[in-house]
Every structure is written in structure tokens, then in C-alpha cells.
Amino acid sequence: MTLRRLAAALLLSLSCLCSAGGAEKWGLGAGVRDSYYIFAQASYADSYLGAEHSVYSYDAKYQYWRLYTGSRGTIPYAEFSGRIFYGRTWCGNYWNAGALLTARALPPGPVSVFATLNPLYDSGLKYHTCFAAGAAVRIFKPVSLRASYTTIPEFRESEKRVRAGVEVKVGGLSVVPELSIPTNPTNRSRRLRLLMSFSYLFSLGR
């Protein structure tokens, strides 16, 4: 799939969202994911589409971009979201595509649990089914402690890691600093990482 076709598909999706209704349901967002990816997205009601780009320290031709679209929904005591994506490096040495399917249980009380399934195809590494599962404990209204076990790639390869950190949500602002700890510390290529994610989402109708 060429970049031109992807851009056309993104514009078509955006035009369909635009025709769906008024500005009161529109939103915009931007932020950073896992310290290395900047993103921007537009949403209408519970659907959204967006793009992200890496900020790696090495050669520009190896930078990675991704287009994605998804939706989210809620029922009593639970939230669900699904996202599909396609990404590649600028030099084209690899591409990948997949989905992120997340469910979060929100029972009464301070504890919530969540799980994500990540079917992922990489042009060089082939197909993998990755996942994450964890829990969060609300300390007080805007602040939660969270921890998870994950095999979802932070860069390209699937890794077995434990992530632990703090989540702060105030209005449309979300900030999540986390430690990413390899479960096999004897492998020198699997290093301890300090990752920062934050996003700001706001409604155009307010």
C-alpha cells in the first residue's frame, strides 16, 4: 500500500466523519507515546483517526510513521476500545500492520483491571500475537498507580516486560510516567527504560 493511497483513505475517513454531525461532538488531541512517538488525532463522538511519528535519535531515513483509526465504547463497569493501524519507516526497510483491542473492567471501588490483545504482522519478523494485562489502583481522584505485564513492542520487536508507574488525569490531560523492566535482565539488549506518555484532548464544541 502506497503513501498516496493511505493519505487518500485517511482523507476519505475524515470527510465521512465531517458529514456525520456538528462540531459539538468533535475533538482534537496531541501528545507523546512511550517517549519516542509524537501523535495527533481527530475524533467524532466515539470514533477517531490520527497519525504518529517517531523521534528516534538515529538517521532520519529510519524514522517510523503510523496511521491509525479506531473507536471506543462503554457499558456499566467496563470500557472497550479497538484500533487498527499501518506503519512503516521512511526508507521502507520494513512495514507493519495490526490492531489493538482493549477491555477495562471498572468495578465499584479504587481497583480496575485491563487487558489488550495485539495481533501484529511485521514484514520482516512475520506474525505475532502480543498482549498486555494489568491493574490500576486509584490513590485519589486524579492519580492512580498502575502495573502490567506486556509483550507488545515498544519499538519493533516483541519483548517480555513489566511496566509500572503512575497515571494522572485532570480534565483532558493525561500523564503516565512508567518504568519498563525486562523480565530477562541477563540479556544486555533488553534494558531498563523510563518511558513518558502524555496526551491532551479537548472538545471543539466547548
Side-chain angles (χ1 to χ4, degrees), residues 14-153:
L14 187 59
S15 65
C16 290
L17 287 175
C18 288
S19 64
E24 70 278 0
K25 294 184 179 180
W26 274 95
L28 294 175
V32 175
R33 177 177 70 86
D34 289 350
S35 297
Y36 293 96
Y37 306 93
I38 57 174
F39 71 87
Q41 70 179 40
S43 63
Y44 178 80
D46 292 324
S47 299
Y48 59 91
L49 54 86
E52 67 177 37
H53 199 284
S54 67
V55 285
Y56 301 148
S57 59
Y58 41 88
D59 199 313
K61 69 180 181 179
Y62 294 113
Q63 300 299 313
Y64 172 86
W65 57 264
R66 174 182 288 185
L67 302 177
Y68 61 85
T69 184
S71 185
R72 59 180 70 88
T74 61
I75 61 173
Y77 306 119
E79 297 176 345
F80 303 92
S81 65
R83 169 185 294 191
I84 58 174
F85 63 85
Y86 173 87
R88 65 183 297 139
T89 55
W90 283 106
C91 66
N93 65 327
Y94 81 90
W95 61 267
N96 57 26
L100 291 162
L101 309 172
T102 299
R104 183 186 298 268
L106 303 168
V111 178
S112 63
V113 295
F114 54 88
T116 298
L117 183 66
N118 174 214
L120 175 66
Y121 182 84
D122 182 286
S123 60
L125 303 176
K126 305 307 177 185
Y127 178 81
H128 289 85
T129 300
C130 307
F131 71 93
V137 180
R138 188 173 65 253
I139 305 304
F140 52 95
K141 188 173 182 180
V143 179
S144 299
L145 299 178
R146 54 183 283 167
S148 63
Y149 176 80
T150 179
T151 65
I152 296 174

Side-chain angles (χ1 to χ4, degrees), residues 140-190:
F140 52 95
K141 188 173 182 180
V143 179
S144 299
L145 299 178
R146 54 183 283 167
S148 63
Y149 176 80
T150 179
T151 65
I152 296 174
E154 292 174 355
F155 294 99
R156 182 184 178 187
E157 296 183 32
S158 176
E159 304 175 59
K160 296 178 181 179
R161 288 182 166 265
V162 172
R163 294 177 59 152
V166 179
E167 182 176 23
V168 181
K169 287 188 174 182
V170 179
L173 176 66
S174 173
V175 180
V176 184
E178 288 183 298
L179 280 176
S180 176
I181 306 164
T183 60
N184 181 13
T186 61
N187 186 335
R188 298 182 65 183
S189 68
R190 307 291 190 239

